[in-house]
Amino acid sequence: MRLTLAWREALWAFAFLAIPLAFFLYFRILPAFQALWLSLYEWHADPSQRHFVGLEHYARLLEDPLLRRALWNTLLYTLLGIPSQIALGLVIALLLQWTPFGRDFFRAIYFAPYVTPAVAVAWVWSWMLSPHFGLVNELLALLGIPPQPFLQSPNQALPTVTWVVVWQNLGFQVVLFLAGLESIPRQYYEAARIDGAEGWRLFRHITWPLLNPVLVFSVVIGTIGYLQLFTQVVNLNFTDQGGPLNSTLTLALYIYQLAFLRFQLGYAATVTVLLFALILLVTLVQLKLLTRRVEL
Amino acid sequence: MKKVLILLALVFPLALAQNVTITYWQYEFRSKVEAINELIRRFEAQNPGIKVVHQTFPYDAFQQKVAAAIPAGQGPDVVNLYYGWAPTWVKAGYLVPLPDDWAQRLDRDLVAMAQAAKVGGRLYGVPTAVRSLALFYNKDLFRQAGFAGPPKTWEEFIAMGQKLTVKQGGRFTQIGYGIAPDGQDHHLVREVLVRQFGGRPYSDDGKRVLYQGEAGLKALRFYTDWVRKHEIGVPGFFPGNNGYRDGFIAGKIAMIIDGSFALGTIQQGARFNWGVAELPLERPGGRKANFGSFWMHGLTPLATGPKREAALRFLAFITSEETQRYWLEKVGELPASKNLIRDPKLSLHPVYGPFVLSLAYAKATPFVDEAAQRKVMVDAINRVLLQGMDPAQSLKMAAEEEQKILDQFWR
């Protein structure tokens, strides 16, 4: 039997696609299911000595104060971080689009933190935020504000960490919005202007609705990022990770501590399953609520 | 002919053991990596049949690599670990017990704290070197303030600390003592102050928390008063991973309490005269106490068959007295052998001396879940320092939390 050219091309395409797919299945999907399986066992290095404990670990989830704290913190990070980075990103993107000169220069400036290693960022900020030597408190002193403990205070640490993450994500957010703004056809604005619309109304009725896809993407990707927050938290308080007093502990960090500092890999897998479910749920809800078909 | 036979008889068992390759893992620390490389060279020269592969990982990733590699059958046969990790590793099946004669050797030859390498009565590793705590002080700052020597009692320590602290507005520019609950200070409270004040942090079998008693409360209150009442220091004064040590090296902190493992870093960094002294006491002639700790070499379940024999031989080699002498020279860590630390040259040494003297009475905390237990004490201190909680309440919470961790492990 001879295959048509189209068929042969399709087969080649599938052959090439099969490689990344196999990779994806083996290294991504399979481990996810292994975690599910692992969460039902008491961990042991020797697989034959792993006791089946059923839902015992899931019961432990319900009465684990550290887990509750990590969940609560993660929620706070997301609620503080996402609106901040989206609002700031949008304002900066609009300003950049509006400015007649230096656009590339500023874009590079805003993007630089995003490509800086998170560890280096954490280091520099932990110096800038130091109560006794830091630049930030130096500036506050000029304004007559007493020195703030920032990362050392159980109350201020979480918002402070969020700020560092927002600062770092901002560049990416700006680039996303700039691309979104560029993709809005000029004609809409021209037509609206002919109809007498100006300023705020142009933004409200053209820019904002047409940015919806970028917005949805930003919220979903940003939320997943905050739900998996780890590196900055670890490095901003390296010798008391998640501290002070668990005030910056995140789910991802808690999983890491359980698995690799306390060797409780079974329970760590259970928390991972919870995080997985959470990300899935939040993402689906966001996609459902935020996505709008825009008709002009 | 006879000679040849004897030679053959000698060589034959070696020939049998030929081509055994074992793997040794430790975290990356330059002087330790270099020392082990040299020791492997010597060991391989003495044991022609055995090849040792040495692999290292950054400290932060070390336990993670071990956790993943051993179940996959790809990890180390001999592994280096902090003694406090041993119980969690044992429970999760990452270490196998050493033969009984090794425990006898440990009891006979090594300093008392090495007992902490036993879990549930069985021995899971042997150290090459041990560490203890001492007071580091900036001699230049001391001279400027008119102090002749380091403080002998905590009372002197506080008085000196106050004189060495400089505060401008709400901010400190220099502090007398580098407060570091998440540095070595949680050990200081738990193992040093509690004992100096006449208490015991844990029951002898390590299964019960005892520091919630009077001595413990006195210890926590006393320590947190350094910040709250006497203001000889402030948490997080100097930024960074080991801010208290960096601040000392920068000349902004007059005194810190640190382990002998910090000697190298301080020696390299400090551009002023500094000294080391045994920890201050509650009163002259008062009870001495110190926290001892060590990294040990253990055997993993991957070392089976001929690999186990080779691994044990390597273990014996890297914990021998000869190696311990070399280790002190090369890495600067104190030998674990009772014999070697008795050497007066060592106890009179201006820098090693105070640490060596403390080894005689230093105790290693019987951790079962080091990461969690460390946090309990750090949080107990921080609740008082950062939230103003009453030390009694904070200590009670800590004792309950830690007892739960102990019960969970021993159930």
Side-chain angles (χ1 to χ4, degrees):
Chain A
M1 189 183 83
R2 282 182 63 91
L3 294 169
T4 64
L5 184 64
W7 262 102
R8 267 183 288 161
E9 276 180 349
L11 276 181
W12 270 113
F14 280 124
F16 281 113
L17 282 174
I19 296 165
L21 183 70
F23 185 85
F24 189 73
L25 283 175
Y26 190 74
F27 287 101
R28 293 276 175 177
I29 305 297
L30 184 69
F33 281 98
Q34 276 178 332
L36 200 60
W37 173 82
L38 207 59
S39 71
L40 305 174
Y41 284 82
E42 190 69 54
W43 175 256
H44 195 281
D46 177 358
S48 67
Q49 292 191 50
R50 287 176 200 162
H51 303 294
F52 181 77
V53 293
L55 296 177
E56 202 178 280
H57 289 149
Y58 288 87
R60 183 175 161 191
L61 283 179
L62 300 176
E63 48 194 48
D64 181 349
L66 275 179
L67 176 81
R68 267 200 296 275
R69 189 66 202 256
L71 271 171
W72 172 244
N73 287 348
T74 305
L75 179 75
L76 283 182
Y77 278 121
T78 315
L79 291 181
L80 283 174
I82 294 290
S84 314
Q85 77 188 42
I86 284 185
L88 279 171
L90 185 58
V91 168
I92 291 168
L94 286 169
L95 285 174
L96 281 182
Q97 210 205 14
W98 170 76
T99 184
F101 56 86
R103 194 182 297 180
D104 289 342
F105 172 72
F106 283 113
R107 196 161 53 181
I109 295 264
Y110 282 114
F111 202 66
Y114 187 71
V115 288
T116 308
V119 178
V121 166
W123 260 89
V124 172
W125 274 102
S126 72
W127 269 94
M128 295 212 295
L129 293 165
S130 157
H132 303 278
F133 299 99
L135 184 71
V136 179
N137 270 317
E138 210 79 56
L139 294 175
L140 290 183
L142 289 180
L143 301 172
I145 299 170
Q148 298 299 313
F150 294 121
L151 292 166
Q152 261 123 49
S153 147
N155 298 323
Q156 294 180 7
L158 187 140
T160 309
V161 173
T162 313
W163 161 250
V164 175
V165 179
V166 167
W167 176 81
Q168 211 184 355
N169 288 348
L170 202 54
F172 185 60
Q173 196 61 61
V174 167
V175 168
L176 279 182
F177 276 127
L178 276 178
L181 288 172
E182 292 299 327
S183 71
I184 300 175
R186 299 291 102 195
Q187 299 93 300
Y188 292 159
Y189 291 106
E190 284 159 16
R193 280 206 186 88
I194 291 169
D195 290 344
E198 271 308 324
W200 168 249
R201 295 184 66 193
L202 288 181
F203 176 80
R204 172 72 188 80
H205 294 289
I206 298 174
T207 315
W208 182 247
L210 286 171
L211 276 180
N212 184 267
V214 179
L215 197 72
V216 173
F217 178 77
S218 304
V219 170
V220 171
I221 291 293
T223 305
I224 293 175
Y226 278 98
L227 289 177
Q228 297 179 340
L229 191 60
F230 179 80
T231 316
Q232 287 92 343
V233 178
V234 163
N235 288 288
L236 280 168
N237 194 347
F238 196 79
T239 42
D240 185 11
Q241 297 178 350
L245 297 171
N246 302 316
S247 60
T248 60
L249 184 70
T250 64
L251 266 185
L253 176 57
Y254 187 48
I255 292 168
Y256 172 82
Q257 290 174 338
L258 281 171
F260 301 120
L261 300 183
R262 305 179 62 186
F263 279 46
Q264 300 182 6
L265 278 85
Y267 184 52
T270 313
V271 184
T272 310
V273 171
L274 176 72
L275 179 60
F276 173 79
L278 209 65
I279 291 179
L280 188 69
L281 186 77
V282 169
T283 307
L284 288 178
V285 168
Q286 283 177 341
L287 284 174
K288 183 115 185 90
L289 288 182
L290 292 175
T291 311
R292 290 188 162 66
R293 288 188 65 93
V294 180
E295 283 174 43
L296 284 171
Chain B
M1 187 63 203
K2 208 174 168 189
K3 264 186 189 166
V4 175
L5 275 178
I6 291 172
L7 201 69
L8 268 178
L10 280 174
V11 170
F12 194 62
L14 282 181
L16 268 184
Q18 199 92 46
N19 299 331
V20 177
T21 300
I22 55 169
T23 307
Y24 177 78
W25 276 20
Q26 66 170 339
Y27 74 94
E28 222 166 275
F29 189 81
R30 211 180 86 197
S31 58
K32 287 188 178 185
V33 173
E34 287 170 1
I36 288 288
N37 281 338
E38 170 60 23
L39 288 168
I40 289 176
R41 246 192 309 280
R42 294 182 194 179
F43 175 76
E44 286 180 342
Q46 288 175 24
N47 298 272
I50 305 171
K51 200 173 156 347
V52 184
V53 177
H54 178 201
Q55 290 173 336
T56 62
F57 302 91
Y59 180 81
D60 312 328
F62 186 65
Q63 288 206 78
Q64 191 181 342
K65 296 284 177 197
V66 172
I70 290 180
Q74 300 289 328
D77 301 295
V78 182
V79 65
N80 192 231
L81 67 146
Y82 184 63
Y83 86 94
W85 300 344
T88 37
W89 285 33
V90 168
K91 200 172 189 189
Y94 286 76
L95 291 175
V96 294
L98 298 178
D100 290 339
D101 52 320
W102 282 70
Q104 287 158 21
R105 208 200 106 200
L106 182 108
D107 296 345
R108 193 184 59 225
D109 297 343
L110 300 192
V111 287
M113 69 164 98
Q115 293 298 323
K118 292 178 185 168
V119 180
R122 305 201 70 177
L123 182 64
Y124 286 90
V126 183
T128 304
V130 292
R131 307 101 60 89
S132 60
L133 300 178
L135 182 83
F136 289 74
Y137 64 103
N138 183 323
K139 282 186 175 169
D140 292 354
L141 290 179
F142 266 56
R143 202 174 305 120
Q144 282 165 30
F147 303 137
K152 296 265 184 286
T153 62
W154 291 118
E155 205 179 314
E156 282 175 34
F157 167 86
I158 292 168
M160 289 174 167
Q162 281 172 325
K163 221 173 154 191
L164 291 162
T165 301
V166 184
K167 194 178 184 184
Q168 284 167 348
R171 303 169 95 187
F172 290 87
T173 52
Q174 179 181 307
I175 56 175
Y177 176 68
I179 287 275
D182 51 356
Q184 300 302 314
D185 287 2
H186 65 101
H187 297 305
L188 176 73
V189 173
R190 194 197 286 113
E191 287 295 342
V192 179
L193 293 178
V194 170
R195 287 183 197 276
Q196 283 191 355
F197 292 158
R200 278 190 306 161
Y202 305 93
S203 61
D204 286 335
D205 59 6
K207 293 182 183 175
R208 267 185 319 122
V209 177
L210 298 179
Y211 58 65
Q212 68 275 43
E214 208 177 307
L217 180 56
K218 199 173 155 197
L220 183 64
R221 186 164 281 148
F222 183 65
Y223 172 80
T224 48
D225 275 352
W226 296 354
V227 176
R228 285 156 50 87
K229 196 163 137 201
H230 308 300
E231 290 206 318
I232 60 169
V234 64
F237 169 67
F238 209 75
N241 290 357
N242 285 302
Y244 70 105
R245 190 181 299 150
D246 296 341
F248 179 76
I249 290 171
K252 303 267 182 214
I253 299 177
M255 296 179 276
I256 57 170
I257 288 172
D258 212 340
S260 36
F261 45 81
L263 280 171
T265 316
I266 291 172
Q267 223 141 27
Q268 259 175 19
R271 300 273 170 272
F272 51 84
N273 294 303
W274 53 276
V276 182
E278 269 185 272
L279 296 178
L281 301 174
E282 193 207 1
R283 59 195 147 74
R287 186 173 171 194
K288 291 185 170 188
N290 203 305
F291 168 67
S293 65
F294 54 91
W295 283 70
M296 61 194 219
H297 318 279
L299 228 56
T300 76
L302 302 182
T304 52
K307 287 210 304 187
R308 181 176 162 86
E309 225 28 68
L312 281 170
R313 219 187 266 196
F314 181 62
L315 201 59
F317 181 81
I318 56 172
T319 55
S320 68
E321 285 201 356
E322 198 191 328
T323 298
Q324 293 186 25
R325 256 189 229 109
Y326 169 73
W327 199 261
L328 173 69
E329 240 169 68
K330 171 79 194 165
V331 185
E333 283 193 317
L334 309 171
S337 144
K338 272 187 220 164
N339 250 337
L340 292 180
I341 62 157
R342 253 185 239 127
D343 182 355
K345 255 201 310 212
L346 212 49
S347 46
L348 291 175
H349 191 280
V351 169
Y352 294 136
F355 291 105
V356 171
L357 290 174
S358 325
L359 288 182
Y361 52 84
K363 294 215 162 41
T365 306
F367 288 120
V368 297
D369 185 349
E370 189 259 342
Q373 286 173 280
R374 173 183 186 277
K375 212 172 128 47
V376 167
M377 190 48 81
V378 170
D379 286 358
I381 296 170
N382 277 340
R383 279 192 295 265
V384 181
L385 292 185
L386 306 178
Q387 293 182 319
M389 189 185 276
D390 177 45
Q393 194 193 343
S394 185
L395 199 66
K396 188 166 166 274
M397 285 168 67
E400 278 167 12
E401 219 179 309
E402 188 162 359
Q403 189 61 55
K404 238 183 251 167
I405 296 168
L406 295 181
D407 292 345
Q408 179 82 15
F409 183 85
W410 293 113
R411 74 179 169 168

